[in-house]
Amino acid sequence: SSERLDALEAHLGHPLRDPHGDPIPQADGSVEPLEEVPLTDWPLYQKAVIVHVEDEPEFLLQKILELGLSPGTTLQVVESLPDSITVAVAHLQVRLNRASAANVHVRPASAADRGQAILPLSELALRQKALVVQLDPEFRGLARRRLLDLGLTPATEVTPELATPVGDPRAYRVRGTLVALRNEQARHVWVRPLGPEATRN
């Protein structure tokens, strides 16, 4: 029913795209136009942001995610060879075969994208707002399910608000509710700070 769809959308934080970057149809059936190019077509040394990762074939998707290349990641191509593409992500360089690189779609990075780092939620400063980028792809099972059930899904705003004297656990505001997470749990949640980059705690 439309009521259940509205409730589900609210629970997920009104996302515009799914975790792989595909646009989610609006209530009227319209779909956000895709303005992106495959990584194989991106020029050298120009900053880009990943907006979509093809989810088929599944083995390529898993390989790409394991390399840390997910929607929201900022990168630049530093080498393009007939059989591979090398990209710089933060201080790392990652090499992809061209089949994998063709499954990663990017757009130009804005000034805001270039100035914001991605870091574990456990290192976000108190009262610094951030958006969830992803959960670690290798973080599986019931522990992952619990974080998702708490609302820590991509594009959700989260803010660390309280900490014990030793700093573990901490209380985070997620969707208007305070939830307690140990640092061991929070380090599996990757976030992008909103506004000036926070000093790590």
Side-chain angles (χ1 to χ4, degrees), residues 121-129 159-164 167 169-172 198-201:
L121 180 58
S122 57
E123 297 187 17
L124 191 66
L126 285 176
R127 291 172 291 281
Q128 170 66 46
K129 294 181 179 180
T159 309
E161 293 200 354
L162 299 169
T164 62
R170 298 202 297 176
Y172 299 88
T199 301
R200 296 190 175 191
N201 235 15

Side-chain angles (χ1 to χ4, degrees), residues 41-47 76-80 86:
D41 295 341
W42 193 254
L44 290 172
Y45 306 116
Q46 292 190 25
K47 291 279 189 176
Q76 62 179 324
V77 177
V78 295
E79 185 179 57
S80 181
T86 301

Side-chain angles (χ1 to χ4, degrees), residues 117-125 189-193 197-200:
I118 295 175
L119 67 157
L121 180 58
S122 57
E123 297 187 17
L124 191 66
V189 182
W190 289 86
V191 299
R192 186 187 304 278
E197 187 177 349
T199 301
R200 296 190 175 191

Side-chain angles (χ1 to χ4, degrees), residues 121 124-132 152 156-162 170-179 191 194:
L121 180 58
L124 191 66
L126 285 176
R127 291 172 291 281
Q128 170 66 46
K129 294 181 179 180
L131 291 181
V132 175
L152 292 166
T156 298
E157 185 174 302
V158 58
T159 309
E161 293 200 354
L162 299 169
R170 298 202 297 176
Y172 299 88
R173 186 165 298 280
V174 183
R175 305 180 191 276
T177 301
L178 281 178
V179 299
V191 299
L194 295 173

Side-chain angles (χ1 to χ4, degrees), residues 25-45:
Q26 302 300 304
D28 62 2
S30 62
V31 177
E32 175 190 359
L34 298 176
E35 298 179 358
E36 58 211 34
V37 298
L39 190 57
T40 47
D41 295 341
W42 193 254
L44 290 172
Y45 306 116

Side-chain angles (χ1 to χ4, degrees), residues 2 10-11 18 53 65-66 70 83-84 89 95 159 161-162:
S2 59
H11 175 71
D18 72 13
V53 179
L65 294 179
E66 287 168 4
S70 60
D83 61 343
S84 66
V89 182
R95 177 170 292 177
T159 309
E161 293 200 354
L162 299 169

